[in-house]
Amino acid sequence: MENSTCLAFTFLSTPVCSEEWKASVLKNIEALVGSCVVVPCSFSHPKESLPTSRMRGLWHHSRDMKHLIYYEDSTMVMENFRGRTRLLGELGKGNCSLEIKEIKDHDNGPFCFRIELARTGTDTGTKDKFSFKEDCVTLQMLTNPKDPELTYKDPVEGHPFSITCFATHTCPTFRPKLKWNTGTEVQITERHRELHPGFWEMSSVLSFVPTVNDDHKEVTCTAQFNGEKMSTAKMTLYVKRMENYNHIIIPVAVAIGLVAIFGGLCFLMMKKYRRRIEELQRQDGT
C-alpha cells in the first residue's frame, strides 16, 4: 500500500508529505533514434539513510506502474525494454539517473521513477515507497542528428588559424566522434563537457597555418553518433594573402620616405639661405 496519507492529500492540494519525497527529473529530453539517452535524475526521501542495497529503484510508464522499463529483476521488465535500460547512479546517494540505449522511435514515454525502501533483503511489502508521477520524462525523438556548428575567424596566410566544431548530444556513454577532411599537417584538440543537465557537448579544434594553396579549400567536420548516424558541417577557406597588402603598404612607405627626404632638403636649403642673407646684411652694414 503506497503512502496512503500522501495520496489522500494529493486530490486536495499539493501534499506536504510528497514534498518530503522529492525528485528532480527533466520533463523533456531529445533522443536520437538508434543511439542512447541518459535521463538525469535525483531524489530524496524523509526516512532514515539507507545504502543502495536496501533500496529498489524502478522506472515505469506513467500510464501503468506495472509497465516497467527498468527493474533489478529484468524478467519483470517489458520485453521491448529488456536489456536496454540501466541505472547509472547509486540510489543510496540519491542518484536515480537512467540510461536507455538502442532508442526506438516509440520510446516516447512519459516515464516515471519509483523508489522502495527495503530494510531487509526479504522486505517486499514495504510501505515506504513512492512513485514520482509528477516528475516524469518525455523523450522527443530525433530521426536524424542535428548538424554540428563551426566557429572561426578569417584565415590569413602564414598566421596560425583554428576552426572549432561543436556537436551537442544526450548520450555521454557513447560520445559522438568528430572527424575532419584534412591532411597530416594539422593539430586536433578534443573536449567533452556537460552544458546543463541532460545535454553534453563534444568539440574538436582544428589548428594549422594556412598557405596560398588552402585558398578556396572546403573544410568538413563530420559527427558520427552512436547507431552509425552522421551529420556534417562545411565551410570554405578564403585565405587573405600577405602580398595583397603590398599595394597599400609600399606606396604609403614610399610617400612617407619622399616626404621625409623633401622635408630634409627644404630644411637644409632654408638654413643655407638664412646664413647667406645674414652674411649679406652684415656686409651692407659695414
Side-chain angles (χ1 to χ4, degrees):
M1 185 173 182
E2 177 168 351
N3 227 324
S4 57
T5 305
C6 291
L7 293 179
F9 281 110
T10 304
F11 295 100
L12 300 176
S13 61
T14 302
V16 175
C17 294
S18 67
E19 291 178 355
E20 297 176 351
W21 295 78
K22 297 179 181 179
S24 177
V25 182
L26 290 182
K27 298 292 186 181
N28 296 280
I29 297 182
E30 294 177 346
L32 178 62
V33 175
S35 184
C36 77
V37 65
V38 170
V39 180
C41 171
S42 61
F43 74 98
S44 61
H45 61 86
K47 306 299 180 179
E48 73 275 18
S49 178
L50 294 172
T52 300
S53 59
R54 290 293 176 260
M55 294 182 175
R56 288 192 292 267
L58 304 83
W59 280 86
H60 61 84
H61 202 286
S62 62
R63 294 194 301 266
D64 191 340
M65 287 189 296
K66 294 181 179 180
H67 290 174
L68 299 178
I69 68 168
Y70 169 79
Y71 187 54
E72 57 186 11
D73 183 358
S74 61
T75 61
M76 299 180 64
V77 175
M78 290 190 297
E79 185 175 354
N80 59 326
F81 281 96
R82 199 171 298 163
R84 295 200 293 124
T85 57
R86 64 172 179 141
L87 286 183
L88 297 181
E90 296 184 30
L91 296 175
K93 296 181 179 180
N95 191 334
C96 48
S97 298
L98 174 73
E99 178 188 88
I100 308 175
K101 61 182 181 180
E102 299 174 15
I103 293 292
K104 313 295 183 184
D105 58 5
H106 53 267
D107 292 344
N108 306 78
F111 304 121
C112 314
F113 176 66
R114 173 184 174 88
I115 186 66
E116 298 180 354
L117 309 183
R119 293 171 178 79
T120 64
T122 57
D123 185 5
T124 58
T126 177
K127 295 182 180 180
D128 293 324
K129 48 192 175 183
F130 195 86
S131 287
F132 300 96
K133 295 182 179 180
E134 301 300 321
D135 298 282
C136 302
V137 61
T138 298
L139 303 184
Q140 298 178 345
M141 297 303 168
L142 297 178
T143 305
N144 297 304
K146 295 180 179 179
D147 291 338
E149 296 182 8
L150 297 177
T151 60
Y152 55 91
K153 294 182 178 180
D154 292 336
V156 178
E157 178 191 359
H159 289 253
F161 173 67
S162 296
I163 314 173
T164 304
C165 180
F166 301 94
T168 57
H169 64 101
T170 56
C171 179
T173 309
F174 301 98
R175 303 174 183 177
K177 298 178 181 179
L178 301 180
K179 297 182 180 180
W180 299 90
N181 66 327
T182 55
T184 57
E185 299 297 322
V186 297
Q187 180 181 354
I188 298 176
T189 306
E190 293 187 338
R191 180 187 178 190
H192 188 259
R193 63 173 180 151
E194 184 177 15
L195 296 177
H196 49 84
F199 291 88
W200 289 264
E201 177 188 81
M202 189 71 194
S203 64
S204 177
V205 180
L206 175 70
S207 302
F208 63 100
V209 178
T211 65
V212 176
N213 296 331
D214 294 317
D215 192 31
H216 286 80
K217 182 179 292 184
E218 187 176 75
V219 178
T220 301
C221 175
T222 301
Q224 182 176 343
F225 294 83
N226 184 44
E228 302 301 323
K229 293 195 173 183
M230 295 185 293
S231 59
T232 60
K234 299 179 180 180
M235 61 89 64
T236 301
L237 291 175
Y238 295 100
V239 180
K240 293 183 178 180
R241 301 183 182 182
M242 293 302 296
E243 59 265 30
N244 289 345
Y245 301 102
N246 291 342
H247 69 285
I248 299 175
I249 296 175
I250 293 176
V252 170
V254 170
I256 293 174
L258 291 174
V259 169
I261 293 172
F262 182 75
L265 291 173
C266 289
F267 176 76
L268 292 174
M269 293 177 66
M270 290 178 64
K271 189 174 182 181
K272 180 179 179 180
Y273 290 144
R274 184 177 298 173
R275 288 179 181 176
R276 181 59 179 165
I277 291 172
E278 291 176 352
E279 291 177 358
L280 293 173
Q281 289 176 343
R282 284 196 297 270
Q283 291 177 0
D284 291 343
T286 58

Coordinates of all heavy atoms in Angstrom, one line a residue, residues 29 127 157 196 224 267:
I29 N 13.5 15.5 -23.0 CA 14.9 15.3 -23.4 C 14.8 14.8 -24.9 O 14.0 13.9 -25.2 CB 15.6 14.3 -22.6 CG1 15.7 14.8 -21.1 CG2 17.0 14.0 -23.1 CD1 16.5 13.8 -20.2
K127 N 6.0 -0.4 3.2 CA 5.1 0.7 3.0 C 5.8 2.0 2.6 O 5.1 3.0 2.1 CB 4.2 1.0 4.2 CG 3.3 -0.2 4.6 CD 2.5 0.1 5.9 CE 1.6 -1.1 6.2 NZ 0.8 -0.8 7.5
E157 N 47.2 34.1 -44.5 CA 48.4 33.3 -45.0 C 49.5 33.5 -44.0 O 49.9 34.6 -43.6 CB 48.8 33.7 -46.4 CG 50.0 33.0 -46.9 CD 50.6 33.6 -48.1 OE1 50.0 34.6 -48.6 OE2 51.6 33.1 -48.6
H196 N 24.5 21.5 -19.5 CA 23.5 21.6 -18.4 C 22.9 20.2 -18.3 O 23.1 19.4 -19.2 CB 22.4 22.7 -18.7 CG 21.8 22.7 -20.0 ND1 20.7 21.9 -20.3 CD2 22.1 23.3 -21.1 CE1 20.4 22.1 -21.6 NE2 21.2 22.9 -22.1
Q224 N 29.9 11.6 -36.1 CA 29.4 10.2 -36.1 C 28.8 9.9 -34.8 O 29.6 9.8 -33.8 CB 30.5 9.3 -36.5 CG 30.0 7.8 -36.7 CD 31.0 6.9 -37.2 OE1 32.0 7.3 -37.7 NE2 30.8 5.6 -37.0
F267 N 64.7 71.9 -45.4 CA 65.3 72.4 -44.2 C 66.7 72.9 -44.4 O 67.1 73.9 -43.9 CB 65.2 71.4 -43.1 CG 65.8 71.7 -41.8 CD1 65.1 72.6 -40.9 CD2 67.0 71.3 -41.4 CE1 65.7 73.0 -39.7 CE2 67.6 71.6 -40.2 CZ 66.9 72.5 -39.4

